[in-house]
Amino acid sequence: MATATATSVKINPKGELPGGVDEKCYAEIPLHSPGLWGLPDSSLFLDFNLPLLLLQLAVIFLLTQSLHLVLKRIRLPRLISEILAGIILGPTMLGKVPKFTENLFPQSGEVFIDLMSKIGYIFFIFLSGVKMDPKVVLRSGSRAWTIGLLAVILPVASFASLYFGFFSQDVNLHRYRQPATQSIFLIQGLIAFPVVASLLVDLKIMNSELGRLALASSLISDLFSNLGLTIFSTLRIGFLAEITTVISVQSFVLLLGIILLIVFTVRPFSLWVIKRTPEGRPVNSVYIISASVAVFLAVILVDNAGLNYQYGPFILGLVIPDGPPLGSTLVDKLETLVSGMLAPLLITYCGMKVNLVDLYDLVFLNWVWVMVFFCLTVKYASVFLPALACKVPPKDAAALAFIMISQGVIQMSFYLNNVINQTFDGETFSMLTASVLLIAALSHFCVGSLNDHTRIYAGYQKRDIQHASSNSELRLLSCAHRFDDVVGVRKLLDASFPCKESPLAVYALHLVELAGRASPVLIDHQLGQKNTSGVARSQKIVEVFIAFENQFLGSATTHFFTSMSLPRFMHQDICSLAFNKLASMIILPFHRKWNHQGKIILDSSNLRTINNNVLDLAPCSVGILIDRQKIRRLAIQSDNESSMYQVAVVFMGGNDDREALAYAKRMSRSPGLQLTVVRFVSWDIDVRENQWDAVLDAEMLKEVRLLGQHQDNIVYREERVKDGAETALVIHAMEEAFDLIMVGRRHRDDLQQLLGLNEWNDLPELGPVGDMLAAAEINRPVSVLVVQQQIVKNK
């Protein structure tokens, strides 16, 4: 193992290198330590750059993570912890401790953290461009365009008027302060799409209507503000050089040439890579390395054109197609390292340069805060007022404005560049960094307070099957993650027996995990979107529903959607679509799957979380379908081929049981279906039963008995039981006799028929009866539909 501590070159007494080369000095760079036992007595491992860098990173991330564990409890984002960690380690606090900075963060070792943070930021900008879909701008509605454009135009016009009409004349600023003032106005006018997307992810509202509007508006604002800033920077080069026309034209032509070079080389190469990649497989690592090298080349080209280095990787990222396979593979390979370690390092590095103690030019610093407050006010009004004009509710308009004025790593990078260019001094940079901290905390807190996603459907009344007319169109939203889910729900839809007297509208939603893009996508297949990633994967599912529609032509209609989203936000897509389409019930696939032998082949905690979130948030009734159709035994297969489809309803009373029975009553119109309603009655008279519930239960059961007198395929029977043990025996006996069992999810905790079963409830989202029927050891081809009636939120 190599133990060299430095690379050095000996110089002879005459100052000449070996070989006769004349040289006056040489540098000795101690890279890594030779080990504890190889150190001289007078040396420490901190004298070597690599151990020192590792210690610095360990201290930074340990402090950042510790702060975040505390601050996240009061809903503050990670950005706050990263800035505070830098301020604590900088000259404001620990930097005042003697020898702390000299030993842990010496000036000679600062270059390594600076380099790592810049590399992290370069790749962060590149990945932000990869995740963006520029075509979203073209597909955005008039509201997003209006808000996005005015959020750029109005602040720029206001800042220009204030600067040229007030600061350049009425305010007595020193000449070297004027470029700083100009840069503050320009940077404050930026609306950064990556910052907005990060805020929406932190608050878990990316898939809400507000989140989608904020993403579209910020993307439009970001693209146009970057375009304007690029043009301004190009023109300013000429003004500074006092050869306005020649330099400006040359810089603009050079920039245009670089953009065309990236577009006409990287784009075709990316499409070629995608064509060579087998479907469903990640891109070869060679191409990922090539893309990483291209990022550095783009930085060099744009930097030599005289523009900010970040525009190169951003343009490169925009050119690369988002989504699978190339975009998603780039994100999968680079996201953890970039967003988890390198990019946050830039924020902490900026915080370490903040000095809130040694301030001298208080007059200008006061003007800095005045400018920041003015810019925030103008930007807020430029979003809030157009949003109100576009008929966005006032509460949502206020939250949208706070989202759009949020600041983060993008603004910090621009501030740091101005320090490097000596446009800002240390005092100005400290104040602006402190303003980013306060604005980020304010935005995060205000948006979280204004937007309560748990009450998004408050006041949404009676959207269920029980209260719908028996002859009205029944609207169902069927969700699927895999093709197996569609096969399972198809049998349920066939049993629903749509007819002209009782038509059925099915909204099929294919849920695909978002990969390689920042914005969630909801694809409406009726709109003919052919080129959107994810459509091909939904094609098999679409074909199943087309076959269902053709089977019941004129009585059933199907509509197909694909949602590409992060799993933690999928429930919002489901509930939003159900709300917009006025669905009466959402049908969700169970998180467990069985094979032909009855063994569990899938048990997904992510799918279970999605189902739980939908149950809490749904604007209508919800049914969780436990599908065991794959389980087949030869002994019963031949018997069931010619028999009727056997459906049972377990009825104990309550809203959910009535909802399940209401759906079963619709099914009973099918001549190929046999419906059996089994009411479980306690031996003891239940005096604690809600009288109104008892009346509603009796009325619905009376209707079923009357229907049974006219229809041979409806059977009603009662089972008297003492406790949950007897109930379980009866229900387990039903598993052999029926193809589908429908049960309600919620019942009274003190119900005598379920006494003892609640103590063994492993899956609360299914209720005690559903949990019993979802047991892994059941090896029979019986499917179960667990029903929850709509939870009406009146407040």
Side-chain angles (χ1 to χ4, degrees), residues 728 730-739 741 772-773 778-782:
V730 176
I731 291 178
H732 283 312
M734 296 170 61
E735 295 168 3
E736 190 74 46
F738 295 98
D739 300 300
I741 300 177
M772 181 171 35
L773 290 169
I778 296 178
N779 194 19
R780 297 180 180 87
V782 56

Side-chain angles (χ1 to χ4, degrees), residues 163-175:
Y163 178 77
F164 291 109
F166 182 67
F167 273 89
S168 60
Q169 299 176 7
D170 297 339
V171 178
N172 186 21
L173 292 178
H174 195 279
R175 185 174 60 183

Side-chain angles (χ1 to χ4, degrees), residues 5-30:
T5 63
T7 300
S8 61
V9 181
K10 299 293 185 179
I11 302 176
N12 60 33
K14 295 181 179 180
E16 295 180 352
L17 290 168
V21 179
D22 187 19
E23 186 63 51
K24 299 301 181 184
C25 62
Y26 73 99
E28 183 172 326
I29 304 174

Side-chain angles (χ1 to χ4, degrees), residues 639-650:
D639 296 337
N640 283 348
E641 283 179 355
S642 59
S643 63
M644 300 180 72
Y645 189 66
Q646 299 290 334
V647 178
V649 177
V650 175

